Amino acid sequence: MEQFYSFPLKMHVGGPDTPIVKEGQRIKRGECIAEPKGLGAKIHSSVSGNVVKITDSAIVIKPDDKQSEEYVKIKKCDSIADTVYEAGVVGAGGAGFPTHIKLKTKLSNGYIIANCVECEPVLHHNIGRIEKKPEEIIKGIRYAMSSTGAKKAYIAIKSKHLEAIKVLKNCLKNDNSIQIKELPDMYPMGEERAIIHAIFDRWLEPTQLPADADCVVLNAETLFNITMAVEYGKPVIDKDITVIGKLKSGIEPNVFFQVPVGTSIKSLIEKCGGIDGEYGELIIGGPYTGTSQDIDTAIVTKTSGGAIVTIPFPEYKGPIGLLVCACGANEARLRDVASKMNSQVVGVTKCKNVEEIKGANKCKTPGHCPGQAQAIMYLKKQGAKRVLISNCSDCSNTVMCCAPKMGLPVYHHTDHVFRTVNYPLTRRLPMEHES
Ligand code: SF4
């Protein structure tokens, strides 16, 4: 067993939870250990053991030597939304929005959208989950339809996932209320407003929510967790995760299903043979939106999708300009990458599709480029000799149409990830006849 399991008090949108246990208390797997004060989600222990420490940000549990798969079931509730609240279900795709709130939306003429896009390249656990247990995802969609009153649902999935589409179709048989919508393999195809645009040919404003289009969007693993809560009384104590990168086991993805929340990422990397020599960084999440974390302290949370160990960064000691996207790395992350490349930042600008709403960058039309020549010209004027961008597939394509012509070589903040695993870099989109 691991020495300690750590449960952050904030694994969701909202404020940190309040612990309802005390130091020294014995805990069973599945027991609730913290509750939200307002917006938030309950937190349950994924192990049996003793609470050894409670801080402002986490509850630390020393696990018993022997663990069981059994867990304390959540209390029975009258509604699906209340059941999901008791189970502490949050958006497992990374956002962490409390799911019970989405399930209280009334959608008499609306739609449930199952987000099975697995938008971030190199992550494989969502598609793996669908291929392994498609019926649990479909049941989750039906529970969500029942809770919201939606009469119809769509499953949004990239057309390249042939096996997952096949097993979903087999499960759906003659159920015409749930339809599969195949999407192209571009970033950020899984962004909620991009999915709604792909299905209904309608752009929501950056300030609008899917509910404004009569939709509730739920990630594949979130739907699985809804089914687990409703049918088995299981709280969210385990998480699917992809571990990939510069590992001794090779560059193929390692998909771990149902890893106890609180597990150290280091222990998962060790299960893959450990890191293969010198590395650049550990990214938790996907290559586009993940965060760089310390390998010694990173843990599995309710929202961790991936653990990526990268090759070292390239070095460029000259002046660099940053072009920020709303759906990829933000300015802070681009500055972090630039500093790891030993570059000197001389200018920063945003894609002109970015709108700042309540302190966060939002894109007007995710994945549809508004043109980048102006931004690149601005960075050149600031003295940049190269540019580092975090744009979507379409906008990176546009940058490649103008930056090299202006004499500016281009880096994308995902380059070191894709080089690690031999994926194509985010640059020019293939022409139709090449794809
Ligand atoms: S259009 Fe601009 S802001 Fe929107 S996803 Fe593409 S690069 Fe990002």
Side-chain angles (χ1 to χ4, degrees), residues 188 325-327 351 353-354 363 365-370 372 391-392 395:
C325 158
C327 302
C351 166
N353 247 358
V354 175
C363 174
T365 54
H368 286 244
C369 183
Q372 301 298 336
N391 301 74
C392 63
C395 291

Side-chain angles (χ1 to χ4, degrees), residues 87-220:
V89 182
V90 301
F97 191 81
T99 304
H100 67 277
I101 296 174
K102 288 191 179 185
L103 293 187
K104 283 183 179 167
T105 313
K106 287 298 152 219
L107 295 174
S108 47
N109 282 315
Y111 308 85
I112 294 297
I113 298 176
N115 186 350
C116 299
V117 177
E118 198 144 60
C119 190
E120 288 268 16
V122 324
L123 303 188
H124 289 73
H125 56 282
N126 272 186
I127 294 301
R129 162 65 56 205
I130 294 165
E131 289 175 356
K132 198 176 155 81
K133 294 264 180 193
E135 60 285 349
E136 311 293 16
I137 310 290
I138 305 282
K139 282 183 196 172
I141 295 172
R142 293 197 178 114
Y143 288 125
M145 289 169 79
S146 163
S147 180
T148 57
K151 302 277 186 304
K152 197 160 169 51
Y154 286 96
I155 299 175
I157 186 165
K158 287 180 183 167
S159 53
K160 69 174 182 177
H161 296 306
L162 301 177
E163 180 60 23
I165 292 171
K166 190 171 110 190
V167 295
L168 285 168
K169 278 185 178 161
N170 280 346
C171 262
L172 287 170
K173 295 202 174 81
N174 298 322
D175 184 348
N176 295 324
S177 66
I178 305 176
Q179 212 177 310
I180 294 178
K181 175 74 183 172
E182 295 186 29
L183 303 175
D185 186 14
M186 285 172 72
Y187 189 85
M189 219 43 256
E191 205 273 350
E192 289 184 337
R193 284 178 303 123
I195 297 179
I196 288 170
H197 177 257
I199 296 175
F200 304 107
D201 197 21
R202 166 189 174 187
W203 281 116
L204 286 174
E205 293 296 320
T207 46
Q208 289 183 301
L209 295 170
D212 293 305
D214 270 335
C215 295
V216 164
V217 184
L218 296 158
N219 161 271

Side-chain angles (χ1 to χ4, degrees), residues 11 29 46 90-96 118 123 125-126 129 219-222 224-225 234-243 255-263 265 268 284-285 299-306:
M11 293 191 257
R29 173 169 148 90
S46 62
V90 301
E118 198 144 60
L123 303 188
H125 56 282
N126 272 186
R129 162 65 56 205
N219 161 271
E221 192 178 350
T222 312
F224 173 77
N225 287 338
K234 187 179 179 190
V236 180
I237 48 179
D238 298 318
K239 179 79 185 78
D240 296 341
I241 186 166
T242 306
V243 181
V255 175
F256 291 92
F257 293 110
Q258 300 295 278
V259 176
V261 168
T263 300
I265 295 288
L268 296 181
I284 299 299
I299 53 153
V300 176
T301 71
K302 290 186 193 183
T303 58
S304 338

